[in-house]
Amino acid sequence: MQYEIIGEPMPAVVCHLQNGESMTTERGSMCWMSPNMKMSTGAGGAGKAFGRMFSGEAIFQNTYTAENGPGMIAFASSFPGSIRAVQITPDRPVIVQKSGFLAAERGVDLSIYFQKRVGAGFFGGEGFIMQKLSGSGMAFLEIDGSAVEYVLQPGQSMVVDSGNLAMMDASCSLDIQVVSGLKNKLFGGEGFFNTLVTGPGRIILQTMPISGVAAALIPFLPADRK
């Protein structure tokens, strides 16, 4: 499979498949494709289906396969930002935010991921339930805003504002960090908690999570008049 990412800030990834190659995606992500791409819809078993539901994805997924020769298919992001290609290997699974999965080769498995530390899940802003991509193949992730990548060394940490963590290697760990000082908590505008990500591993941060966009728009929405 070969691919190209086009069209930021409303990006799409165009995948060129050989005969018999397949791509898996969430429903509604396909933009255009060649006529010989065959679609099939399935849940992949009850356990996987409910796991996807709890992690923020649809129960059913679509698989597109190139038949009778090479095929082409494009998947679009649902929000202005970036698309990142991530190579998944058996020894390097990754953890992504809810609704961060866009599409992947057939060898990539999407499953539910629970935060090991309950406090990080409830107060860290990333959610107690995230998504885990494992197996083998190329996966494409939706990033809200621009993507910034860091590689953390063992024991090295990064403090991240709630919602700005898009992806991390499964070798990284999450915890929460309490904002110090009462005035900082009440008037600093950053909330009471931040997310603390500790290596080793790669992390991808996003500059404008959709939750931040929603919060910025609230003051400009018309008041409900009854």
Side-chain angles (χ1 to χ4, degrees):
M1 187 269 292
Q2 295 182 329
Y3 69 90
E4 54 181 332
I5 298 173
I6 61 174
E8 292 186 5
M10 291 294 291
V13 55
V14 182
C15 301
H16 301 274
L17 309 181
Q18 297 300 315
N19 182 49
E21 288 187 322
S22 298
M23 297 289 296
T24 301
T25 185
E26 297 302 299
R27 61 180 184 180
S29 298
M30 191 278 294
C31 292
W32 61 86
M33 63 183 179
S34 57
N36 66 320
M37 296 297 298
K38 181 182 178 182
M39 183 186 83
S40 63
T41 301
K48 290 184 178 180
F50 282 107
R52 286 195 297 271
M53 180 182 69
F54 284 120
S55 63
E57 298 290 355
I59 293 178
F60 293 94
Q61 290 184 315
N62 295 332
T63 299
Y64 295 88
T65 303
E67 294 187 342
N68 302 317
M72 178 272 294
I73 186 169
F75 306 100
S77 176
S78 60
F79 186 77
S82 312
I83 293 177
R84 274 296 180 99
V86 178
Q87 184 68 48
I88 308 297
T89 60
D91 61 339
R92 194 174 184 179
V94 302
I95 310 302
V96 302
Q97 64 173 342
K98 290 182 180 179
S99 303
F101 172 75
L102 179 61
E105 292 185 282
R106 186 161 47 186
V108 176
D109 183 46
L110 174 65
S111 60
I112 193 171
Y113 175 81
F114 289 97
Q115 295 286 359
K116 294 180 180 178
R117 299 184 180 181
V118 177
F122 283 109
F123 303 111
E126 314 309 328
F128 183 65
I129 300 173
M130 299 177 74
Q131 297 173 323
K132 182 177 182 179
L133 297 176
S134 56
S136 181
M138 187 66 71
F140 301 99
L141 308 180
E142 292 189 55
I143 308 295
D144 300 338
S146 298
V148 182
E149 183 174 323
Y150 293 94
V151 177
L152 302 179
Q153 300 303 312
Q156 183 182 8
S157 298
M158 181 76 71
V159 179
V160 182
D161 193 19
S162 298
N164 285 86
L165 178 64
M167 189 217 82
M168 68 178 187
D169 284 341
S171 54
C172 294
S173 62
L174 281 184
D175 206 343
I176 59 170
Q177 184 179 75
V178 180
V179 175
S180 61
L182 182 59
K183 288 193 296 184
N184 293 339
K185 291 184 177 73
L186 297 178
F187 307 113
E190 302 298 336
F192 281 31
F193 303 97
N194 288 317
T195 301
L196 184 68
V197 191
T198 303
R202 173 183 49 164
I203 62 173
I204 297 179
L205 308 179
Q206 53 191 11
T207 59
M208 180 52 73
I210 190 171
S211 58
V213 175
L217 292 176
I218 288 176
F220 302 98
L221 297 177
D224 185 15
R225 297 178 180 178
K226 294 184 180 179

